[in-house]
Amino acid sequence: NPEVVAAMTAAVGSLLGSLSNPAMGVETIVQASSEKLGNLCFQLMMTGYMFRNAEYVLALKSLMNIGGEGSSATTLEDYRAAFQRIDTDG
């Protein structure tokens, strides 16, 4: 999903900062302790999980025809009606 990729790019960029900018010919060498590097890796991993979950929710909403494009105000009734449409058992 392009929306999720754009949000992920912005989030990772803000976590890492603009450490290097190859377009400007700037390269930065960063030195960090193993603890700080481990914390950064953990933050990046959690950010990845969060964005993967967002991508899953958007795909599920699309498949179930819940809400409009870019609609974030989905109610419980919208979900209930969508599940009633696909419920084949009852």
Side-chain angles (χ1 to χ4, degrees):
N1 187 319
E3 291 175 82
V4 175
V5 171
M8 187 176 1
T9 302
V12 170
S14 70
L15 280 172
L16 294 175
S18 49
L19 296 177
S20 68
N21 188 346
M24 295 178 58
V26 176
E27 186 176 323
T28 304
I29 298 172
V30 177
Q31 187 173 354
S33 69
S34 60
E35 182 181 348
K36 296 288 185 185
L37 186 58
N39 286 338
L40 177 61
C41 288
F42 178 75
Q43 285 179 319
L44 290 171
M45 188 171 67
M46 289 296 109
T47 301
Y49 287 136
M50 180 185 71
F51 282 114
R52 177 61 185 112
N53 186 51
E55 185 177 41
Y56 175 77
V57 169
L58 289 173
L60 189 61
K61 285 176 74 172
S62 174
L63 287 171
M64 295 177 71
N65 295 321
I66 299 174
E69 189 69 29
S71 174
S72 62
T74 305
T75 66
L76 182 60
E77 289 304 317
D78 295 331
Y79 286 105
R80 187 172 288 133
F83 280 109
Q84 289 297 326
R85 283 194 306 269
I86 64 170
D87 183 17
T88 60
D89 293 333

